[in-house]
Amino acid sequence: MDQDFPKKDGLTIALAQSNFTAGHFAGSVARIAGLYNIAAAAKADLIVFPEMAITGYPAEDLILHKRFQDLSMETAEDIARQAIQGTAILAGGLWREGDALYNAVFLMQDGKITHRQYKHRLPNYGVFDDKRLFAEGPMPEPMEWRGMKLGVLVCEDMWLPEVATHLESHGAEMLIALNASPFETGKPRMRERIAVQRAQETGLPLIYVNPVGGQDEIVFDGGSFALSAEGTLATRLRAFNDDLAFLQLKKQDMQWVPQRGLIQPEQSDVQAIYSALVVGLRDFVEKNGFSGVMIGMSGGMDSAFAAAIAVDALGCSRVRAAMLPSPITSAESREDAAECSQLLGVRMDVIPIEPGMRAFDAMLAPVLGSELFDPIAEINQTRLRCSVLMAISTREKLLLLNTGNKSEMAVGYTNLYGDMNGHYAVLKDLYKTDVYKVAAWRNAQGRIIPGRIFTKPPSAELHTGQADQDTLPPYAVLDAILLQLVEKRLSIAEVVAQGFAHATVEQVARMLYFAEHKRRQAPPGVKISSMAFGRDRRLPLTCGWRG
């Protein structure tokens, strides 16, 4: 085949968009082998897998364990030994040279690794810690393969022009970008725009392969694609789904030209956010061995929407709900929780917490007095509910789903060891106003949330007549201010200059910075923005600065 290849005027490259798990080498081998066999049966010339497909990404400090490094390199060589059916493999993994660790790409054929290339540009922002873990590879040269030259880019190498330009100037005939690019709202369009720039700058076709699936708080959305040298889209794979596409290229006027294939439609931002929430929750449950999800249903929007996500992720038989009313809980909330559970097809138990509230009062009275201070009594309700939910969760091996949203997490409108608890917080990076927006989109696909939940004022119902806006600015105002303080990192003065009331901005900023200790103890959750709480935004707990 090697001798015949330069005479061919056609080329088939398989784009393998799949779901990998950090440190699960056996799983990576099985996925790569399965897809390789399909590509070989279709007589593809090359199959391309994502960045770090062999190790999973991000593997974080697992990378620093010598046994992990050894297994990664052994696994790469094991995979290479399977590349004996005429189809070559291009896949990412870890490689060690001396004391240096590299984010590597391997070209495998004829049962061995024939080329290794190391990532040149190492990102060190947001969720990326490449500079902490890896050594910088040299400026890469094209890979000689079957009479042609492949210009390989490893994720960040594509985002600025220098690596692609260098590869083109040294004879590369096409660009192949292996990526592990997490989802953020608007990110799919950004990737394609950057890739178009690289194709047009170099005059080379570009193939982009990205994984799918959830890895802790990160979700990979796939959306792999191929472009012509002019930047025209030739194919796009499905978003948020495992997919395998065969790209045909023909040699015309000494240049490889991708032939138009199936172009999957772009998802709208709202649809993509919902897909990310579903995939992130599903994979956290599945990859961590939970049997399903446990959720507390309050009759409000957050719990209703979180339950809908869980049902779409796992099916109604694997979602269990409990309504935990107190004497303060309204009849409306009871009715809405019951109707929502019925629409979703979810079992909902009703477990009143009044006996526990009385027990708390009696237990604490000798220390705190016969009548508890109101905030303590209110917080105890949330902690009682958490104890009940955790008991069921532990007994049934269910993931306890936290239903807090980004607005509440931002300003600390939540209680430690109470409504903050849970294994996973699916709405953690979604502001309250966006919860309503995305929930409305989902309801338009099929009614699963009662209409009254969309219209009644949000309330924690910890005391009679309580409403969130008794403590917080209206959510539309709160979220707009938080967007400036958190995502854009503006100062109080800069936010006030946009027309917000000075006192309101100061109030929000004060709550935002004071709640840092709460957020540090919050459960992980799906990242959908460029500034999720956690690895995107790292602040000291003890801090004299308030913006």
Side-chain angles (χ1 to χ4, degrees):
M1 185 172 182
D2 286 359
Q3 288 80 9
D4 295 339
F5 186 83
K7 300 175 184 177
K8 293 172 61 176
D9 61 359
L11 178 64
T12 301
I13 297 180
L15 283 63
Q17 175 177 291
S18 195
N19 189 337
F20 298 93
T21 301
H24 191 6
F25 291 111
S28 295
V29 170
R31 282 185 176 273
I32 291 172
L35 291 165
Y36 176 78
N37 289 334
I38 295 171
K43 300 191 182 306
D45 298 289
L46 176 68
I47 181 168
V48 182
F49 292 92
E51 175 189 18
M52 298 294 280
I54 295 169
T55 61
Y57 188 83
E60 302 192 48
D61 280 7
L62 290 176
I63 297 292
L64 302 177
H65 288 254
K66 186 176 185 300
R67 182 57 184 148
F68 186 90
Q69 299 161 18
D70 292 341
L71 278 172
S72 180
M73 294 188 291
E74 291 167 12
T75 302
E77 290 171 335
D78 288 344
I79 291 169
R81 281 190 280 273
Q82 300 180 41
I84 55 174
Q85 301 183 52
T87 301
I89 296 174
L90 196 63
L94 169 68
W95 200 260
R96 183 182 64 226
E97 282 191 15
D99 294 330
L101 303 175
Y102 294 98
N103 182 331
V105 171
F106 309 103
L107 181 61
M108 306 166 174
Q109 61 182 354
D110 302 325
K112 59 183 181 293
I113 297 172
T114 59
H115 291 80
R116 286 197 311 271
Q117 178 178 313
Y118 302 142
K119 188 173 184 177
H120 178 63
R121 295 188 59 85
L122 301 179
N124 196 48
Y125 54 85
V127 300
F128 303 109
D129 290 319
D130 281 29
K131 285 187 178 180
R132 182 171 183 269
L133 300 170
F134 301 111
E136 181 180 285
M139 183 67 77
E141 302 300 317
M143 290 186 183
E144 296 278 353
W145 176 66
R146 297 178 179 175
M148 66 178 298
K149 292 184 176 182
L150 303 178
V152 176
L153 306 164
V154 189
C155 204
E156 194 80 0
D157 291 343
M158 189 197 78
W159 287 79
L160 291 171
E162 60 176 348
V163 179
T165 301
H166 176 85
L167 289 166
E168 184 275 330
S169 68
H170 285 71
E173 298 174 57
M174 69 176 65
L175 300 174
I176 303 179
L178 286 71
N179 292 261
S181 178
F183 172 76
E184 295 172 7
T185 306
K187 191 79 167 286
R189 289 189 300 275
M190 182 190 301
R191 291 192 206 109
E192 289 194 16
R193 185 172 69 249
I194 296 296
V196 166
Q197 292 174 11
R198 298 294 89 81
Q200 292 176 343
E201 289 162 359
T202 60
L204 297 176
L206 186 148
I207 296 167
Y208 180 101
V209 179
N210 198 40
V212 294
Q215 177 63 48
D216 299 341
E217 298 189 283
I218 291 171
V219 177
F220 297 103
D221 54 304
S224 306
F225 57 86
L227 304 171
S228 72
E230 295 76 30
T232 302
L233 196 62
T235 192
R236 182 195 292 129
L237 280 63
R238 294 178 297 167
F240 298 100
N241 282 276
D242 279 41
D243 207 353
L244 179 66
F246 293 93
L247 177 69
Q248 308 294 329
L249 297 100
K250 293 190 179 298
K251 199 72 171 288
Q252 297 174 4
D253 299 325
M254 303 299 292
Q255 186 174 53
W256 289 105
V257 179
Q259 304 302 292
R260 184 179 174 87
L262 182 62
I263 299 176
Q264 296 288 349
E266 275 189 302
Q267 292 191 349
S268 68
D269 284 347
V270 171
Q271 183 182 5
I273 289 169
Y274 192 74
S275 297
L277 299 175
V278 168
V279 169
L281 176 59
R282 180 200 68 204
D283 277 6
F284 197 85
V285 170
E286 301 286 10
K287 293 180 180 182
N288 288 289
F290 291 98
S291 61
V293 159
M294 182 72 210
I295 186 168
M297 293 288 280
S298 68
M301 173 55 75
D302 292 335
S303 62
F305 185 45
I309 295 166
V311 168
D312 283 347
L314 302 168
C316 60
S317 65
R318 296 179 66 190
V319 179
R320 185 170 174 180
M323 204 317 171
L324 306 165
S326 77
I328 297 155
T329 304
S330 68
E332 282 187 354
S333 292
R334 294 168 185 255
E335 293 164 5
D336 291 342
E339 184 183 357
C340 186
S341 298
Q342 186 176 27
L343 288 170
L344 290 168
V346 169
R347 169 185 171 179
M348 188 187 82
D349 297 296
V350 178
I351 308 171
I353 64 169
E354 186 175 5
M357 293 170 65
R358 290 198 300 267
F360 256 116
D361 289 352
M363 181 174 64
L364 291 171
V367 178
L368 300 180
S370 58
E371 293 188 10
L372 289 183
F373 184 50
D374 284 346
I376 296 174
E378 292 175 10
I379 292 169
N380 283 343
Q381 293 177 52
T382 72
R383 291 173 179 160
L384 271 168
R385 289 184 172 117
C386 178
S387 295
V388 174
L389 294 171
M390 278 302 304
I392 300 170
S393 164
T394 302
R395 173 71 179 269
E396 304 298 331
K397 297 181 180 178
L398 299 169
L399 175 145
L400 178 56
L401 190 60
N402 181 281
T403 64
N405 59 66
K406 191 171 186 176
S407 305
E408 294 169 346
M409 295 281 189
V411 297
Y413 191 62
T414 182
N415 296 310
L416 284 171
Y417 324 120
D419 55 355
M420 268 190 66
N421 276 21
H423 297 102
Y424 202 70
V426 72
L427 306 180
K428 182 180 178 181
D429 199 25
L430 205 61
Y431 287 116
K432 184 76 167 186
T433 48
D434 290 327
V435 168
Y436 279 94
K437 185 187 303 181
V438 182
W441 175 88
R442 176 59 184 87
N443 235 31
Q445 317 309 307
R447 183 173 175 268
I448 49 164
I449 300 175
R452 186 164 61 186
I453 289 179
F454 284 92
T455 57
K456 65 184 181 182
S459 171
E461 287 196 321
L462 298 178
H463 63 256
T464 303
Q466 181 183 20
D468 290 2
Q469 289 186 18
D470 297 339
T471 305
L472 305 174
Y475 278 113
V477 175
L478 174 65
D479 291 353
I481 292 172
L482 287 171
L483 188 68
Q484 308 305 313
L485 293 173
V486 177
E487 270 78 2
K488 297 184 180 180
R489 290 193 173 110
L490 298 188
S491 68
I492 290 174
E494 289 171 319
V495 178
V496 170
Q498 297 185 21
F500 296 98
H502 192 281
T504 304
V505 177
E506 279 199 334
Q507 175 198 8
V508 173
R510 185 169 57 252
M511 290 189 292
L512 172 66
Y513 288 104
F514 183 76
E516 191 64 36
H517 70 287
K518 288 187 176 183
R519 287 190 293 275
R520 192 71 67 89
Q521 300 177 68
V526 181
K527 169 183 162 62
I528 58 97
S529 77
S530 62
M531 193 58 65
F533 292 127
R535 293 174 67 181
D536 285 333
R537 185 178 184 274
R538 310 179 197 187
L539 297 182
L541 299 181
T542 306
C543 177
W545 190 82
R546 291 291 181 266

